[in-house]
Amino acid sequence: MLKIIASIGGIAAEKWLSNSSLVVLMLLTFSELLKEIIPALSIDEKLLDKLPEYRMLYVNKFEQLDRLFIQLENTILSEAEATEEYFKIREISIRIEDLDNSIHLPEKKKLYDRAISKFDVFIHNMYDLEDGD
């Protein structure tokens, strides 16, 4: 989008300034060069296409784990059945890791730490766990 705006701006500026097209061309070329050198500056289309699937795999995994926990807690499943079900759910992790490797999500330390902290609060509140459990 920024490239389109810069191009239109260059065409419009050509009327008032000489060589403005050359300046805009150099700026666009420089931005493309920076995108190649620093991939974090650009949004990968492949990443955007796979993010919904990536998110849904996590949602599905945690819903299944939650259901398994409740069934085990209410003794609907035996420990052997729960163990077998748990390893079936872990197979989703393989698909998540495969997807994670293919889209190369950059790790954001602050975001990750905040998510872990909120997750800990959720787990403690949801399952009435005390610190150290």
Side-chain angles (χ1 to χ4, degrees):
M1 187 59 131
L2 187 61
K3 290 180 197 176
I4 293 171
I5 293 170
S7 299
I8 291 171
I11 292 169
E14 184 67 32
K15 185 175 183 179
W16 295 288
L17 303 170
S18 61
N19 293 331
S20 66
S21 296
L22 182 61
V23 172
V24 170
L25 179 63
M26 287 191 311
L27 287 174
L28 290 174
T29 304
F30 184 67
S31 72
E32 286 297 317
L33 181 64
L34 279 179
K35 267 182 23 181
E36 292 299 319
I37 293 172
I38 308 170
L41 293 177
S42 66
I43 298 173
D44 186 16
E45 293 296 322
K46 190 167 133 180
L47 171 78
L48 291 177
D49 291 341
K50 291 188 176 183
L51 278 178
E53 179 186 358
Y54 186 70
R55 181 183 173 279
M56 288 311 297
L57 282 171
Y58 268 112
V59 168
N60 185 29
K61 176 183 175 181
F62 287 113
E63 282 185 7
Q64 288 182 14
L65 285 172
D66 198 31
R67 184 179 324 114
L68 177 63
F69 177 81
I70 290 169
Q71 288 176 341
L72 187 59
E73 187 78 9
N74 294 330
T75 60
I76 295 171
L77 292 177
S78 68
E79 272 192 49
E81 292 171 327
T83 303
E84 184 178 322
E85 188 65 29
Y86 172 73
F87 284 111
K88 285 180 187 176
I89 294 171
R90 279 192 52 183
E91 290 176 11
I92 296 174
S93 296
I94 295 169
R95 177 67 183 131
I96 291 172
E97 286 297 319
D98 181 44
L99 199 56
D100 189 25
N101 290 334
S102 73
I103 59 178
H104 305 290
L105 283 176
E107 186 173 310
K108 306 285 187 211
K109 181 104 174 95
K110 284 183 182 178
L111 183 63
Y112 181 76
D113 290 341
R114 192 170 62 193
I116 290 295
S117 139
K118 287 186 177 190
F119 177 73
D120 287 343
V121 169
F122 169 77
I123 289 298
H124 283 83
N125 290 339
M126 180 75 171
Y127 300 111
D128 295 325
L129 298 175
E130 297 296 324
D131 289 334
D133 286 347

